[in-house]
């Protein structure tokens, strides 16, 4: 194979003369709370720096965003931006292989990266004393990545990306919808015609030299924005940024992309046959504008009116009438193009045909001309988005993400907030105008997604054939010839900065109180944002179901989301939307749960709606029929989901036919027989607030909370009697259990056994300490073996999990079908090695360091705080249990962890679930010399 080269002489980098970052702009907090205060700096090499100080928690979030996504790729080199995201975690000149993940985990932090069409970002949140180390890490991979890139790393990450595509797209129900819609909307040379994951054939065609050229072209400081949000000293941070980034030369010039919205002369129809689905899907996309266009806000309102929730036209006229199982709409905007999309799922039990559904969608869109747009439509959308923006300011990551997105894509760090301000001034006539311009009688791209052998269900005969891809021959692969970067420093980059003095981690002050009927109130007062997060946990849940009505807890929770006696589901939803609030009801194993999120200013009317819902739920017969239909269809669809099949098979093998062994929503034959009277009876008994917990985090005092929740004492019934949990021994024998899924491109594995009930400081906690280096983090033995060393999987992890009464240990991973038996063999080998040798001294130090600082991140958001309160309540813990855990971690030794490995990791005890193509797997699995069983979910 010959490699042609071409030169980008006009894009060569100018020489760099380093100087201190220049302050470009400073923005202070606004009175309405919707401005993120920041300082914007620029380095001489073009790097943009945004600083947002927030000293509410001892954490810092660092986000590096490069203005390169799949839209910057060549049509014959798709998937490169995403592939490169993977390579950026493989070490650099001064950072060893996998060291980036290890160092962040060791610091008690979290990290990841993501790629979309327009940008790639890398982000980490760490205790504030590790900021310098994170900047050193980010600078090293910006300036010195290529010195560490090798053909071996390239091959491993290529396999990893292929595994990711298989797991997330090819082996998933509806997984190919995005790819097919891109091809249907755009010509082949349009950068949105392919997905960020790319095409496998492109990944197979390229080599490491193509990857290096991509880095040189796009990964310069002049194409990057660095955002730091959290608890830091500004002057010191500026000095660090200049030190580590200032000497990195600018890359080639990067010009702003020109918007290219889709252009359709006529409506295009295609059909996707998906063997992994049951419910047919109709997907309709109308081309509109591009990010930041003057019509974007009005189109957002239009999408909200059409399909923005239960009060929307599509939901009310399709779902509420039983014509669709689910329906919605959104206006998705990206840098080059936006689309307003409508989707709906038909009911396969009632014919499943998409033609009548398409007729209904067309009717709803057409009748919008007569209905018109009113002030209430606009105000609802404005209120919803404002609430979402405020809640997004709840974390350093949320603030940094908004600043980065706006700066990179629109050169305005406050773009998201300014977009809301544009929305707030939108008029009904503007929405009507965009409806007429972009939707009314306009062509669209229409995709019918149908099950195998059901092409007669398609909305229309396909009338558009996606053009074949034109790929260069093997001897015409193009590699850019760009210069190597020359970096000169006056310090030794190989010396990793030390962490600063440990941060002080304080459990947020708690208040406790009670109401009548032993209703426990617990709260954390926090006024960082004007919002409140509430969890109401009522004794009941799945454990309270009787053998004859398994699934009633799930159905009752679904019915509690269908409005009140006074307000229909749509009306109740609309009332919440106008307040910028959300209320959802769900069920767990021990409790029925109401989750409430609202702005402080609308807390009172939100709780009035909560009171109405709790005391006078609608429970209408017509709603019950729809809810049961949707539930049964969802349960049927789950059986086409490989990960669900694996998890449920493992659950059943662990717990048998007890409640813990059955699906959360029950089994279809039982759910089908549940009556509305049974739901009402369950509600009456197990939505009683007596002995319940109300957990409140946010901008509300203890006294006000007690007053606001006094309505809970009005419940007249006696406290419910909750039955004891039935726990039986593991019914399954060790061995391999095959769940057949013909033609599966991957095998989904679950490996484990029954283990321990959950606790905070006892055997369960110790067992998870043992598991930390086995499969409990990215750098663990199992993940490094299967993903990083062999390229078998996108990811593998293990954990102990359970509830107060029982638990399991398991390994979970999706692997290439052709290495299924080898993956199992390697997992069992890692068990044996840890049993024999125990953790190394390095692993023990890594465990201690990771656990000792991770609590700094534990209480940052309101949802974090509410979840912490829920943990205290459900496990009956003292708030100082975290300090007890730290004491355990500081003293645990290798011998103790080795004994736990010997107790729980015996390969001969393992139950192994394999969801895959039995015909292709059985021969190789038999060579493992383990008992083989066919398994069918009951």
């Amino acid at each position: 194979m010959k490699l042609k080269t071409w030169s980008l002489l006009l894009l060569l980098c100018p020489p760099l003369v380093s100087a201190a970052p220049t302050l470009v702009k400073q923005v202070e907090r606004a009175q309405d709370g919707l401005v993120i205060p920041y300082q914007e700096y620029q380095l001489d090499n073009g790097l943009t720096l945004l600083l947002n100080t927030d000293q509410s928690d001892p954490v810092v979030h660092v986000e590096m965003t490069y203005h390169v996504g799949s839209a910057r790729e060549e049509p014959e080199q798709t998937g490169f931006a995403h592939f490169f995201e993977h390579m950026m975690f493989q070490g650099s000149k001064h950072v060893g292989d996998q060291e980036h993940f290890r160092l962040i985990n060791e610091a008690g932090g979290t990290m990841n990266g993501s790629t979309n069409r327009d940008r790639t970002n890398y982000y980490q949140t760490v205790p504030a004393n590790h900021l310098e180390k994170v900047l050193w890490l980010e600078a090293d991979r910006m300036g010195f990545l290529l010195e560490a890139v090798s053909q071996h790393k390239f091959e491993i990450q290529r396999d990893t990306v292929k595994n990711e595509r298989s797991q997330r797209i090819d082996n998933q129900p509806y997984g190919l919808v995005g790819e097919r819609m891109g091809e249907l909307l755009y010509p082949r040379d349009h950068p949105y015609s392919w997905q960020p994951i790319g095409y496998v054939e492109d990944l197979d065609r390229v080599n490491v030299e193509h990857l290096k050229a991509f880095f040189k072209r796009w990964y310069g400081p002049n194409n990057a924005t660095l955002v730091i949000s959290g608890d830091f000293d500004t002057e010191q941070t500026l000095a660090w940024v200049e030190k580590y980034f200032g000497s990195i030369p600018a890359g080639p010039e990067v010009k702003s992309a020109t918007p290219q919205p889709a252009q359709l002369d006529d409506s295009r129809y295609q059909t996707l046959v998906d063997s992994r689905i049951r419910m047919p899907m109709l997907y309709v996309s109308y081309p509109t504008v591009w990010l930041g266009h003057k019509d974007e806000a009005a189109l957002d309102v239009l999408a909200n009116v059409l399909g923005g929730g239960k009060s929307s036209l599509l939901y009310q006229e399709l779902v509420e009438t039983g014509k669709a199982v689910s329906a919605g709409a959104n206006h998705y905007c990206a840098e080059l193009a936006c689309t307003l999309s409508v989707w709906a799922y038909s009911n396969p039990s009632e014919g499943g045909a998409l033609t009548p559904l398409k007729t209904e969608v067309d009717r709803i869109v057409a009748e919008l001309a007569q209905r018109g747009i009113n002030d209430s439509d606009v105000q609802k959308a404005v209120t919803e988005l404002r609430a979402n923006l405020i809640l997004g300011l709840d974390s350093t990551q949320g603030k940094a993400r908004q600043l980065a997105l706006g700066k990179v894509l629109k050169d305005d760090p406050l773009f998201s907030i300014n977009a809301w301000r544009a929305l707030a001034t939108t008029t009904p006539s503007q929405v009507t105008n965009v409806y007429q311009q972009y939707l009314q009688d306009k062509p669209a791209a229409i995709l019918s997604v149908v099950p195998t052998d059901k092409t007669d269900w398609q909305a229309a005969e396909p009338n558009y054939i996606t053009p074949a891809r034109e790929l260069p021959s093997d001897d015409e692969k193009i590699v850019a010839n760009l210069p190597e970067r020359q970096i000169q420093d006056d310090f030794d980059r190989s010396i990793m900065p030390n962490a600063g003095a440990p941060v002080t981690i304080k459990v947020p002050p708690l208040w406790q109180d009670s109401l009548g009927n032993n209703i426990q109130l617990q709260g954390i007062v926090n006024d960082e944002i004007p919002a409140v997060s509430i969890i109401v946990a009522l004794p009941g849940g799945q454990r309270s179901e009787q053998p004859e009505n398994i699934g009633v807890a799930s159905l009752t929770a679904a019915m509690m989301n269908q409005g009140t006696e006074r307000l229909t589901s749509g009306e109740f939803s609309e009332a919440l939307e106008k307040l910028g609030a959300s209320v959802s009801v769900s069920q767990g194993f021990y409790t029925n749960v109401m989750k409430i999120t609202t702005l402080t200013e609308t807390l009172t009317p939100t709780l009035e709606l909560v009171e109405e819902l709790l005391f006078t739920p609608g429970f209408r017969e017509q709603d019950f029929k729809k809810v049961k239909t949707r539930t049964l269809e969802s349960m049927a669809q789950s059986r086409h989901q490989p990960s669900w099949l694996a998890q449920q098979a493992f659950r059943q093998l662990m717990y048998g036919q007890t409640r813990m062994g059955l699906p959360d929503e029950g089994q279809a034959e039982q759910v089908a027989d549940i009556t509305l009277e049974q739901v009402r009876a369950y509600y009456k008994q197990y939505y009683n607030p007596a002995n319940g917990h109300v957990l409140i985090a946010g901008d509300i005092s203890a006294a006000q909370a007690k007053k606001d929740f006094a309505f809970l004492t009005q419940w007249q019934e006696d406290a419910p009697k909750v039955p004891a949990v039935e726990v039986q021994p593991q019914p399954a024998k060790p061995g391999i259990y095959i769940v057949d899924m013909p033609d599966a491109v991957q095998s989904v594995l679950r490996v484990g056994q029954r283990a321990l009930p959950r606790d905070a400081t006892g055997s369960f906690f110790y067992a998870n300490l043992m598991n930390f280096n086995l499969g409990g983090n990215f750098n663990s033995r199992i993940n490094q073996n299967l993903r990083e060393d062999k390229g078998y999987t996108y990811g593998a992890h293990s954990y102990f999990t359970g509830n107060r009464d029982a638990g399991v240990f398991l390994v979970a991973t999706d692997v290439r079908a052709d290495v299924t038996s080898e993956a199992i063999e390697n997992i069992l080998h890692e068990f044996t090695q840890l049993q024999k040798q125990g953790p190394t001294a390095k692993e023990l130090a890594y465990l201690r360091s990771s656990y000792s600082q991770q609590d700094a991140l534990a209480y940052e958001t309101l949802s974090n705080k509410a979840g912490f309160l829920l943990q205290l309540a459900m496990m009956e813990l003292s708030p100082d249990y975290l300090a007890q855990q730290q004491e355990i971690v500081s003293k645990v030794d290798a011998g103790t962890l080795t004994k736990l490995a010997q107790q729980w990791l015996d390969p001969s005890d393992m139950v192994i679930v394999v969801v895959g193509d039995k015909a292709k797997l059985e021969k190789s699995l038999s060579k493992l010399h383990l008992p083989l069983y066919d398994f069918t979910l009951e």
Side-chain angles (χ1 to χ4, degrees):
M1 178 185 72
K2 294 182 291 184
L3 294 177
K4 290 186 178 180
T5 62
W6 52 280
S7 179
L8 297 178
L9 296 176
L10 297 178
L11 301 178
L12 296 183
C13 324
L16 174 68
V17 179
S18 181
T22 301
L23 179 64
V24 176
K25 184 186 297 184
Q26 182 161 325
V27 176
E28 305 295 338
R29 185 180 300 275
Q31 288 186 344
D32 63 6
L34 281 181
V35 168
I36 306 170
Y38 72 90
Q39 295 171 313
E40 179 178 343
Y41 295 85
Q42 189 167 60
L43 276 64
D44 287 352
N45 57 11
L47 176 67
T48 296
L49 171 66
L50 302 175
L51 300 181
N52 163 247
T53 54
D54 174 1
Q55 298 179 333
S56 58
D57 296 283
V59 301
V60 65
H61 180 83
V62 177
E63 184 143 342
M64 179 70 79
T65 304
Y66 294 89
H67 195 174
V68 55
S70 58
R72 301 282 195 181
E73 298 164 347
E74 298 298 326
E76 72 277 2
Q77 294 183 358
T78 67
F80 254 46
H82 173 254
F83 188 3
F84 206 87
E85 175 206 323
H86 281 248
M87 292 301 298
M88 286 282 278
F89 291 99
Q90 299 308 302
S92 47
K93 181 178 180 180
H94 307 105
V95 181
D97 294 358
Q98 314 309 324
E99 281 294 284
H100 200 129
F101 269 108
R102 187 189 67 80
L103 290 169
I104 298 300
N105 287 332
E106 190 174 60
T110 62
M111 67 176 294
N112 212 328
S114 69
T115 305
N116 64 23
R117 291 167 165 177
D118 303 320
R119 61 97 187 109
T120 305
N121 68 341
Y122 304 90
Y123 51 94
Q124 41 261 302
T125 306
V126 294
N129 58 319
H130 289 273
L131 173 58
E132 184 182 7
K133 183 185 299 181
V134 173
L135 295 175
W136 172 76
L137 287 166
E138 281 294 352
D140 209 65
R141 60 181 173 185
M142 175 188 280
F144 302 91
L145 182 89
L146 295 186
E147 286 90 333
V149 169
S150 66
Q151 187 67 32
H152 174 71
K153 290 181 181 179
F154 175 86
E155 297 293 347
I156 289 295
Q157 291 311 308
R158 174 157 56 186
D159 284 343
T160 300
V161 172
K162 290 181 184 178
N163 288 323
E164 181 180 1
R165 180 185 166 99
S166 294
Q167 181 175 327
R168 292 185 169 182
I169 295 178
D170 300 327
N171 211 37
Q172 286 300 315
Y174 311 102
L176 287 166
V177 169
E179 185 168 279
R180 291 293 292 273
M181 286 304 300
E183 295 169 346
L184 192 55
L185 276 163
Y186 303 102
R188 275 297 192 188
D189 60 352
H190 191 290
Y192 286 179
S193 68
W194 60 85
Q195 299 300 296
I197 195 75
Y199 296 107
V200 170
E201 60 262 31
D202 290 350
L203 295 175
D204 285 337
R205 289 172 49 254
V206 298
N207 61 38
V208 70
E209 294 305 317
H210 295 87
L211 198 75
K212 290 180 178 179
F214 189 86
F215 174 82
K216 293 176 184 178
R217 176 67 186 91
W218 300 111
Y219 272 76
N222 53 308
N223 197 37
T225 295
L226 173 63
V227 183
I228 304 172
S229 176
D231 185 6
F232 58 84
D233 177 86
T234 297
E235 292 305 315
Q236 178 63 80
T237 300
L238 288 172
W240 285 335
V241 170
E242 176 57 34
K243 175 180 178 179
Y244 294 114
F245 292 93
S247 60
I248 301 174
E253 179 187 1
V254 178
K255 295 182 179 180
S256 299
T258 301
Q260 303 176 56
Q263 302 289 331
L264 300 179
D265 295 327
D266 299 292
S267 289
R268 296 175 178 177
Y269 290 85
Q270 278 192 357
T271 298
L272 170 63
V273 178
D274 190 337
S275 63
R276 294 170 180 80
I277 71 165
R278 170 179 165 82
M279 287 186 289
M281 178 189 191
L282 176 71
Y283 202 101
V284 182
S285 279
Y286 297 89
T288 59
V289 291
W290 57 88
L291 187 72
H293 188 278
K294 64 181 179 62
D295 290 340
E296 182 185 354
L299 285 159
D300 289 343
V301 175
L302 178 60
N304 189 274
V305 172
L306 275 172
K310 289 184 178 180
S311 64
S312 68
L313 297 177
L314 288 166
Y315 195 94
Q316 287 299 304
E317 298 198 34
L318 296 181
V319 180
E320 288 295 321
T321 60
K323 296 175 182 176
V325 177
S326 176
N330 74 359
H331 185 228
Y332 175 76
C333 264
E335 188 174 20
L336 305 186
C338 307
T339 52
L340 195 154
S341 298
V342 172
W343 62 89
Y345 295 85
S346 66
N347 185 348
S349 299
E350 305 205 358
L354 293 175
T355 300
L357 196 56
K358 173 64 166 55
T359 300
E360 287 296 309
V361 168
D362 289 344
R363 176 188 62 79
I364 293 167
V365 172
E367 290 180 355
L368 197 56
Q370 286 74 44
R371 176 195 180 274
I373 302 294
N374 55 53
D375 288 332
S376 178
D377 294 328
V378 177
Q379 191 55 45
K380 181 165 69 72
V382 169
T383 303
E384 281 187 85
L385 183 56
R386 177 174 177 266
N388 290 337
L389 283 172
I390 290 175
L391 293 170
L393 305 181
D394 196 18
S395 67
T396 54
Q397 176 171 318
K399 285 177 277 198
R401 186 67 46 84
Q402 286 197 25
L403 292 172
L405 172 69
K407 181 61 184 177
V408 170
L409 298 186
K410 301 306 299 180
D411 196 27
D412 176 10
L414 298 179
F415 171 75
S416 296
I417 293 168
N418 290 329
W420 173 82
R421 299 193 192 284
L423 191 73
T425 62
T426 300
T427 64
S429 63
Q430 288 175 311
V431 181
T432 300
N433 289 340
V434 298
Y435 163 72
Q436 294 169 346
Q437 183 173 354
Y438 300 105
L439 262 69
Q440 190 176 25
D441 301 323
K442 296 298 186 291
I446 301 102
L447 183 67
S448 300
V449 189
V450 298
T452 304
D453 299 327
K454 293 294 183 181
T455 54
D456 57 318
W457 284 359
Q458 63 192 4
E461 286 289 331
N463 67 355
Y464 179 78
I465 298 175
T466 301
R469 302 183 68 217
E470 296 182 5
L471 301 177
S473 61
D474 282 346
D475 63 350
E476 293 180 345
K477 294 182 180 179
I478 299 173
V479 179
N481 182 22
L482 291 169
E484 299 292 336
R485 293 177 185 168
Q486 303 298 323
I487 301 175
Q488 296 181 351
D489 290 312
D490 57 3
F491 67 100
D492 187 352
R493 284 187 183 266
S494 67
I495 300 174
M496 181 178 67
N498 294 320
V503 299
T504 301
I505 304 169
K506 296 180 179 179
V507 176
L510 311 181
W511 60 263
Q512 299 186 28
D513 211 324
S514 63
L515 297 169
N517 298 328
N518 193 35
I519 302 170
Q520 300 300 310
L521 304 180
Q522 287 182 290
I524 296 172
V525 178
N526 183 278
D527 61 359
E528 186 178 347
I529 62 171
V532 184
S533 179
I534 302 162
I535 299 173
V536 180
L538 309 174
Q542 298 161 19
R543 66 167 170 169
S544 59
E545 296 172 334
Q546 299 302 310
E548 66 274 10
N549 67 1
I550 298 296
V552 71
S554 178
L555 270 184
T556 304
M559 285 299 294
M560 289 293 290
N561 288 306
Q562 299 304 306
T564 67
E565 291 179 359
R566 181 179 68 92
L567 299 172
T568 66
S569 173
E571 291 168 342
F572 188 81
S573 178
E574 184 172 17
L576 287 171
E577 290 162 1
K578 289 180 177 178
L579 297 172
S582 66
V583 176
S584 65
V585 183
S586 60
Q587 43 78 37
F589 188 76
Y590 294 101
T591 56
N592 298 309
V593 176
M594 301 182 75
K595 291 187 177 180
I596 305 152
T597 303
T598 181
L599 302 180
T600 308
E601 65 197 46
T602 57
L603 176 61
T604 297
T606 299
L607 291 182
E608 289 172 356
L609 288 171
V610 170
E611 178 180 357
E612 182 177 348
L613 178 63
L614 183 61
F615 283 86
T616 58
F619 287 163
R620 299 171 183 84
E621 185 66 44
Q622 63 268 33
D623 288 337
F624 181 66
K625 291 179 180 178
K626 289 178 292 189
V627 165
K628 186 190 279 191
T629 296
R630 290 199 296 267
T631 299
L632 291 171
E633 286 302 328
S634 176
M635 294 169 74
Q637 177 60 47
S638 294
R639 290 178 173 267
H640 295 265
Q641 186 86 17
S643 59
W644 185 92
L645 290 171
Q647 201 68 13
Q648 183 52 41
F650 186 80
R651 182 174 177 175
Q652 193 168 313
L653 291 165
M654 292 296 99
Y655 297 112
Q657 290 298 304
T658 66
R659 188 61 189 95
M660 278 195 270
L662 299 175
D664 290 347
E665 66 274 17
Q667 293 179 306
E669 59 272 18
Q670 287 182 296
V671 171
D673 291 336
I674 293 175
T675 66
L676 182 56
E677 287 308 312
Q678 287 176 302
V679 167
R680 288 183 175 129
Y682 182 89
Y683 154 78
K684 186 175 181 181
Q685 189 169 7
Y686 294 113
Y687 277 74
N688 187 335
N691 299 328
H693 292 82
V694 181
L695 312 163
I696 309 159
D699 190 14
I700 178 175
S701 67
Q704 187 64 45
K706 186 171 184 178
K707 177 181 176 182
D708 287 345
F709 284 94
F711 68 86
L712 295 175
T713 62
Q714 298 172 21
W715 195 282
Q716 299 299 314
E717 305 295 329
D718 294 333
K721 296 180 180 179
V722 181
V725 176
E726 177 188 8
V727 179
Q728 296 179 356
Q730 175 181 309
K733 299 177 181 179
I736 300 175
Y737 293 79
I738 304 177
V739 180
D740 190 24
M741 178 167 275
D743 300 319
V745 297
Q746 282 191 309
S747 296
V748 183
L749 305 182
R750 298 292 184 268
V751 182
Q753 64 167 318
R754 276 280 292 278
L756 296 158
R758 181 179 294 273
D759 63 49
T761 55
S763 300
F764 179 88
F765 180 70
Y766 274 91
N768 266 310
L769 294 181
M770 177 272 291
N771 176 71
F772 180 79
N773 283 298
L774 175 69
N777 70 90
F778 183 88
N779 288 75
S780 64
R781 296 183 180 193
I782 291 175
N783 192 60
Q784 290 298 302
N785 183 331
L786 298 187
R787 171 177 162 144
E788 298 301 321
D789 294 343
K790 298 186 172 66
Y792 288 173
T793 180
Y794 176 53
H797 59 286
S798 61
Y799 52 94
F800 287 81
T801 186
N803 56 37
R804 298 195 302 256
D805 292 283
V808 298
F809 164 75
L810 78 156
V811 179
T813 186
D814 296 19
V815 300
R816 291 193 343 245
D818 63 315
V819 295
T820 302
S821 59
E822 291 90 340
I824 294 171
E825 197 169 31
N826 276 272
I827 291 169
L828 298 181
H829 174 73
E830 293 296 348
F831 290 175
T832 301
Q833 289 299 104
L834 191 59
Q835 283 185 307
K836 289 180 179 179
Q837 302 172 0
T840 65
K842 185 176 180 180
E843 286 177 326
L844 192 59
Y846 181 37
L847 165 69
R848 286 181 175 146
S849 180
S850 298
Y851 267 83
S852 68
Q853 300 184 77
Q854 65 183 5
D855 291 341
L857 280 61
Y859 321 109
E860 188 183 10
T861 68
L862 292 183
S863 60
N864 290 154
K865 293 177 174 72
F868 171 66
L869 293 173
L870 182 64
Q871 174 86 338
L872 295 181
M874 294 299 98
M875 299 297 295
E876 299 180 352
L877 299 173
S878 167
D880 70 349
Y881 84 91
L882 293 170
Q884 297 175 40
Q885 288 183 341
Q886 294 297 339
E887 182 72 12
I888 291 170
V889 172
S890 69
K891 293 182 178 180
V892 71
D893 56 39
T896 299
L897 300 182
T898 303
K899 289 179 181 178
L900 287 167
Q902 293 166 350
Q903 180 179 0
W904 295 113
L905 301 182
D906 188 339
S908 65
D909 291 337
M910 295 299 154
V911 170
I912 301 169
V913 173
V914 179
V915 177
D917 191 329
K918 176 186 173 184
K920 296 177 181 177
L921 297 175
E922 197 166 24
K923 182 178 179 180
S924 62
L925 290 174
S926 66
K927 295 179 181 179
L928 295 175
H929 304 296
L930 296 170
L932 279 176
Y933 307 97
D934 289 336
F935 189 77
T936 303
L937 286 169
E938 299 178 13

